[in-house]
Each structure stands twice: as C-alpha cells, then as structure tokens.
Amino acid sequence: MDKMVIEGGNPLQGKIQVGGAKNAALPIIAACLLAEGWHRLYNVPHLRDVETLKGIMSKLGVEFRRDGNALEINSSNLRDYNAPYELVKTMRASIVLLGPLLARYGKARISLPGGCAIGERPVNLHLKALSAMGVEMWLDHGYINAHADRLKGVDIFFDIPTVTGTENIMMAAVMAEGETTLRNVAREPEIQDLADMLRHMGAKIEGDGTDTIVIQGVTDLRPARHTIIPDRIESGTFMIAAAMTRGEVEIEGCCPKHLGALMERLESAGTKLDITPNGILVKGPDVIKSVDVKTTPFPGFPTDLQAQFMTLMCISKGWSTITETVFENRFIHVSELKRMGAEIEINGNRALVRGKEQLFSAPVMATDLRASASLILAGLVAKGGKTEVHRIYHLDRGYEALEKKFEALGATIWREKV
Ligand code: EPZ
C-alpha cells in the first residue's frame, strides 16, 4: 500500500503531456476479441485498469505485446470465455467483454460486476439489450452466463444513456444479422473512439456521438491499427490543478472539443484559458469565483471531474452548489475534504460548498479513483505541512505516474511505501 505525500503552496508552472484515455482504451482492447490476427493500438496508457483487463483476456487465451505506448493484441487462439470474479471484482468495466465474446464466440460467462464506492453500478440495460438481440442469459453464483447462436439486429431504446452499455451493444451488433438501431445512447468521445476502431476493423457504424447509432451487421472483421484519443479526465484534472494553484500550465495533447463544459465553468470561475497549437494554456486566477456545477452525460459537465472541481470551489470566494446526477453516491471525497478545512454541506445529490481562504494539510484516505485525484489537488494548495493521501492504489487505476507529472510542474509531491 503506497501513500502520496504533498507539501502544498507551489503554483504549477510549465507544460504537461496527457496520456491516452483509460475509458477509450478499455472497450477498444476488448474489441480486439472480434477479429483474429494482430491488432496494434497506439497511445495506450500504462494503468492498473489496463493491466487488469489484459490479465482477464490473457486467461481467455489472448496474447499481448507491449511496445512503449503501443500495445499489440492477438485473440486468434482464444481458449476460454470465463471472466472470473477475482479479477472482475477489481474492475467492473470488465463487463465490456460480454458483447465481443458473444459476437465472436456466441457464449460468455462473466462475473456480475459488483457495485463500487460511487454506486450500485447495475448492468440491467446491457442485459436487456442483449436479450432483445436473441441472447439467452441466466445468473448463477454471481455469474452472468450468456449464449447466442446468432445475434440479430434490433431497434433498442436505452432508458439511460449508459457509456459501457452503449459500447457493449455496439460490439455485439457489428456482426449481428441485419441492422441494429441504438437509441438514447451515450455520446461520450470514448464511444466515438470505439466506433472509429470498429470501422477500422471493417464494421459499418453511423451516428456515434449523437443519441442514435445505426449499425449494419457484417460477416467478419479484420485486425486494425488505432490511436487512442487523449484522456479528457486527466486533462481536466491538470486544468483544475493549474487553476487551484494559481499557476500557468499548458496541457499538451488534449482535445479542447472534449472539454467544453469544464472550460466554460473554469472561465466563469475566472480562469484564463487559451487554445494553443498543442493544447490548452491555463492561467489560474488570483481570485477564484464560486460557480455552480451539475454533472450530466456528455456533452454536459462530466461526473468524473466533479470531485476535482469541488476541490477548486473549496477555495473559491463565495458559495457554490455541486449537483451529481449520474451516480448515487459520488460525494465520498467530501468528508475527507472537510478534514482539510473545507466547508461543505450535503443534501441528497447536492453539495453546498462555502469557499474558504485556504485548506490545511492532513492525513486523508482515498476511496475511489476520482476522489483520490481531488485529495491530491487539495494537498497541492493545503497550508501547514504535509498532506498524506492513503490507499492511492485507487489513483493508479486511472492516472499514470501522476506524482511525476505534478513534480515536473513544480509541485512538492512524492510516493512513500506504507
Ligand atoms: C463509464 O462507466 C465510465 N467508465 C465511468 O468512469 C464514468 O463515470 C461513467 O461512464 C459515466 O460517464 C468506463 O468507461 C470504463 P454508465 P459506466 O453505465 O459505463 C446507470 C472513471 O472514473 N446504469 O454510463 O459504468 C448507472 O448506475 C469511471 O473513469 C443503469 O442503471 O457508467 C449510472 O447511474 C467511474 N443500468 C448511470 O446509468 C445499466 O445497465 C450511468 O452509468 C447501466 C448504467
């Protein structure tokens, strides 16, 4: 178990290169199950979640070759279709194996992903759509058993625009019989990146990025090369860090069109943003204005940046409300921030934040991936000594060498073994 130690007070200065998007890499790696031969993916981040998915797929017989930021994948010699609980419980996104396994092999046995710190995380919409496509499913001992002779194209409406639900059904539909129309789907950039990868493999997909995706089933797909999009949540985390520390940082390699909602809120809070040829230049304001935020599916404000933005509001001038509409329990970071002097009151899915002059260093505990990031950000500005963030294995799931990147920007931060 490692902890992160931060001595706050340094304004961040310089340039930082963001990595490939975790939430694009995971479904795209799973999509390599759909076609035999060597796929080659570029800009694949070195993250715990990527390693977990590789571990599960290796057990199924998939071969991997790492070459720096490139990852080569070959699923020609698949020998199993069982994703075990011991691995799935550490990463519920493993559910994205269900669609490709059914499309390629007609069967899958995947541990039902449990909930996690931020919510129950049901997969009922995934299963409802698959059953409409002709998949027979039954649950036993916590596992989803699924079987389908041939998936058939259908017209499916999603009650909620689920990101991995949309991804799972896209992958199930690309070789289904006939046409599939997916309505009220998620519109996140990671959905479009998966669609691009599937098109490189020969799939016929239109409408990704809108609320309706139409897929014509094809008989087979081929291995492909693909570059993963930049991680908009890592980019946003650095932008907020620059704003909080009143620094000046250029976030290189990020995609401004993926960050519209955050950019609008940061500018309303007084942050100066300039689009540069390489990315976005962020200048922190002397006075951080209090602004309200409500998380919604893309293109709205991302739930994955809610904890980080709340930390910014903790040192703003005035009152702000943070409303979380995507997950039912995504305020776990609040109690830890309050231990650092933040003034926050929770009322249902709404947090009322009263900005304070400053936060104070303290030992705190990470509980989920993005909450960990918000505590690191708080440590970067906390006064009065060292902030220690414990259980940062949560952080390593979604951020690659975060302390090294912050150190390169002038932060006093290091990792210690506990
Ligand atoms: C993806 O999770 C991301 N993970 C999450 O990022 C992100 O927070 C989330 O989308 C929302 O943007 C990956 O892409 C690997 P959802 P996902 O299905 O797909 C409900 C991070 O920090 N729902 O879009 O699991 C669900 O309970 C992670 O990188 C159902 O009710 O989220 C939630 O309230 C955290 N039934 C809402 O929909 C279902 O069958 C949105 O969930 C599916 C979802």
Side-chain angles (χ1 to χ4, degrees), residues 256-301:
K257 69 177 189 325
H258 295 165
L259 290 153
L262 172 67
M263 290 170 71
E264 188 280 328
R265 289 289 78 194
L266 281 175
E267 284 175 329
S268 304
T271 308
K272 195 165 173 345
L273 300 179
D274 291 301
I275 309 284
T276 69
N278 300 323
I280 301 176
L281 179 64
V282 181
K283 284 183 189 156
D286 293 333
V287 175
I288 299 165
K289 296 184 197 132
S290 298
V291 295
D292 296 341
V293 158
K294 180 177 180 183
T295 67
T296 61
F298 193 86
F301 192 95

Side-chain angles (χ1 to χ4, degrees), residues 381-408:
V381 300
K383 296 275 189 290
K386 296 186 179 105
T387 294
E388 294 190 349
V389 182
H390 293 262
R391 298 192 181 177
I392 51 163
Y393 57 85
H394 291 289
L395 195 77
D396 296 333
R397 295 188 50 183
Y399 290 95
E400 185 176 344
L402 190 63
E403 73 276 14
K404 296 272 176 270
K405 294 181 175 178
F406 277 136
E407 197 181 15

Side-chain angles (χ1 to χ4, degrees), residues 22-23 26 92-93 118 120-126 160-165 167 188 232 303-304 326-328 330 369-370:
K22 167 178 86 79
N23 290 348
L26 296 175
R92 54 174 313 289
I118 65 177
E120 186 219 332
R121 314 294 294 276
V123 292
N124 59 310
L125 301 179
H126 301 233
I160 300 173
T162 155
V163 173
T164 48
E167 291 163 350
E188 273 68 6
R232 61 195 169 97
T303 175
D304 292 349
V326 177
F327 289 111
E328 66 268 30
R330 204 166 195 176
L369 169 55
R370 307 305 175 181

Side-chain angles (χ1 to χ4, degrees), residues 136-172:
E136 244 183 280
M137 274 172 286
W138 64 98
L139 294 185
D140 74 1
H141 307 295
Y143 279 77
I144 302 167
N145 298 275
H147 176 85
D149 293 330
R150 175 95 159 106
L151 293 163
K152 58 184 193 328
V154 283
D155 191 320
I156 304 166
F157 179 86
F158 283 89
D159 303 345
I160 300 173
T162 155
V163 173
T164 48
T166 303
E167 291 163 350
N168 237 340
I169 307 311
M170 280 165 73
M171 292 190 278

Side-chain angles (χ1 to χ4, degrees), residues 188-205:
E188 273 68 6
E190 293 76 28
I191 302 279
Q192 293 179 256
D193 205 29
L194 172 62
D196 284 341
M197 167 66 174
L198 292 169
R199 278 187 284 263
H200 292 159
M201 294 169 68
K204 291 188 171 46
I205 301 180

